Amino acid sequence: MRNAVSFAKPFHRNYRPAKPGPQFGYGSRAYIIDREYANNAAHYVRAYILIQNDLQSIFEYLEPSDECRTAYSYKIHALLMRTCIEIEANFRAILIENSFTMPKKRSLNMSDYRKVDVTHHLSSYEVMLPIWNGDPPILKPFEAWKSVRGMPNPNGFSLTWYQAYNASKHNRNDEFKKANFENLVLAVAGLLVLISSQFRDEDFTAGMDHLTIGNDFQPMEAATGSLFRIKYPDDWAESEYYNFDWTTLKDEEERFGRINFDAIPS
């Protein structure tokens, strides 16, 4: 993973900073819209936008606030299920579009998905919901993984919102209340982090290319879908940066490298 030659090309479905050079600025992420970068990228971003829109519909009768954190309903449960299924779909796409040996006798699980934190720094992302009534909490959906990034077989570092999804999916009768408003908001924030770690704020719409303009009124940057704000990781080592000139690389037949996820401990 730290072979300098590998970083002379972007990896599939892996947005990360680029070293200053001819490609710096928007050119440092122009690879994101290349059709070879991700299989059906717009499909995944659109799925997130639809989930975000359904979350906003819940806000019509449930105020995003501390008082509503433990609220639960069938609609919240259903959206939590859909959001976590979409999270699993994104993890799976990242693994299989790079280099990863699929397990033969079991399904993919969070031990497999946690490998992606090493390459995408998911646990370093921060998300905020500005319309929160009161002081908006800083959401860090994958923070539990940060202290054990790249370490094998950690115990006790599960994601609480994902545990709530699993519990309420397999035993709704007894665990229904775990599919609550707080865990839903964390799950949607987690999906946003996954989308942003692949595509930054590219939404693949047919409109004009957008230019991000600073907003002094709100902290962090505008995120895909414009509901949340996001802070991108700032803990990349120099050896983890991309270092290529896309204006030259974009004309090559093999424009992308592949992350060897088999080499990352689970």
Side-chain angles (χ1 to χ4, degrees):
M1 280 300 301
R2 294 186 180 275
N3 185 333
V5 175
S6 298
F7 295 91
K9 295 180 180 181
F11 297 118
H12 291 281
R13 291 181 171 269
N14 183 202
Y15 165 74
R16 62 174 67 193
K19 291 184 177 180
Q23 79 291 345
F24 200 63
Y26 179 73
S28 66
R29 36 191 177 109
Y31 59 89
I32 293 172
I33 60 175
D34 188 293
R35 290 185 179 276
E36 297 298 320
Y37 173 66
N39 184 21
N40 205 358
H43 166 87
Y44 291 86
V45 176
R46 182 168 175 263
Y48 164 73
I49 296 295
L50 291 173
I51 286 172
Q52 177 193 274
N53 291 345
D54 285 347
L55 177 63
Q56 287 181 284
S57 72
I58 290 176
F59 294 167
E60 293 175 9
Y61 60 88
L62 189 65
E63 182 71 2
S65 63
D66 290 342
E67 292 81 0
C68 293
R69 287 177 181 270
T70 58
Y72 60 94
S73 70
Y74 282 103
K75 187 166 186 177
I76 291 173
H77 180 276
L79 190 55
L80 178 63
M81 298 299 107
R82 198 167 114 226
T83 301
C84 289
I85 288 170
E86 193 61 31
I87 284 171
E88 293 167 344
N90 274 267
F91 273 125
R92 180 184 176 90
I94 292 169
L95 292 172
I96 66 174
E97 290 183 36
N98 282 281
S99 180
F100 176 72
T101 302
M102 295 289 289
K104 295 181 179 179
K105 297 184 178 181
R106 61 170 176 82
S107 300
L108 291 174
N109 58 39
M110 274 296 172
S111 292
D112 303 308
Y113 301 151
R114 196 176 62 84
K115 293 170 178 276
V116 177
D117 187 42
V118 175
T119 56
H120 291 59
H121 287 216
L122 304 177
S123 59
S124 297
Y125 277 81
E126 298 181 7
V127 175
M128 186 184 72
L129 182 61
I131 63 171
W132 195 268
N133 192 335
D135 293 331
I138 303 302
L139 308 173
K140 303 176 184 180
F142 297 99
E143 184 180 27
W145 288 350
K146 192 167 187 177
S147 63
V148 291
R149 182 183 290 165
M151 296 172 58
N153 302 318
N155 295 313
F157 292 93
S158 300
L159 308 174
T160 55
W161 52 269
Y162 190 82
Q163 286 181 308
Y165 151 71
N166 263 326
S168 58
K169 177 179 69 173
H170 295 295
N171 185 7
R172 193 177 70 183
N173 186 59
D174 295 330
E175 307 287 0
F176 185 56
K177 292 182 180 181
K178 289 184 178 179
N180 59 34
F181 181 72
E182 180 176 27
N183 284 324
L184 172 60
V185 172
L186 277 167
V188 176
L191 178 56
L192 171 61
V193 166
L194 266 173
I195 291 294
S196 302
S197 75
Q198 298 172 80
F199 311 115
R200 195 173 166 93
D201 56 355
E202 178 60 56
D203 61 9
F204 302 99
T205 60
M208 295 176 60
D209 289 343
H210 60 277
L211 176 65
T212 301
I213 300 175
N215 183 344
D216 292 334
F217 181 72
Q218 297 287 359
M220 304 187 183
E221 297 182 41
T224 300
S226 301
L227 177 62
F228 292 92
R229 307 286 292 181
I230 194 165
K231 180 182 177 183
Y232 292 87
D234 57 8
D235 58 349
W236 298 93
E238 185 177 355
S239 60
E240 294 179 293
Y241 278 50
Y242 283 144
N243 186 21
F244 56 81
D245 182 353
W246 184 251
T247 59
T248 301
L249 186 60
K250 67 182 178 66
D251 296 321
E252 295 185 11
E253 184 175 352
E254 298 293 335
R255 300 182 292 283
F256 296 96
R258 296 184 186 276
I259 299 166
N260 180 12
F261 281 109
D262 289 335
I264 299 175
S266 58

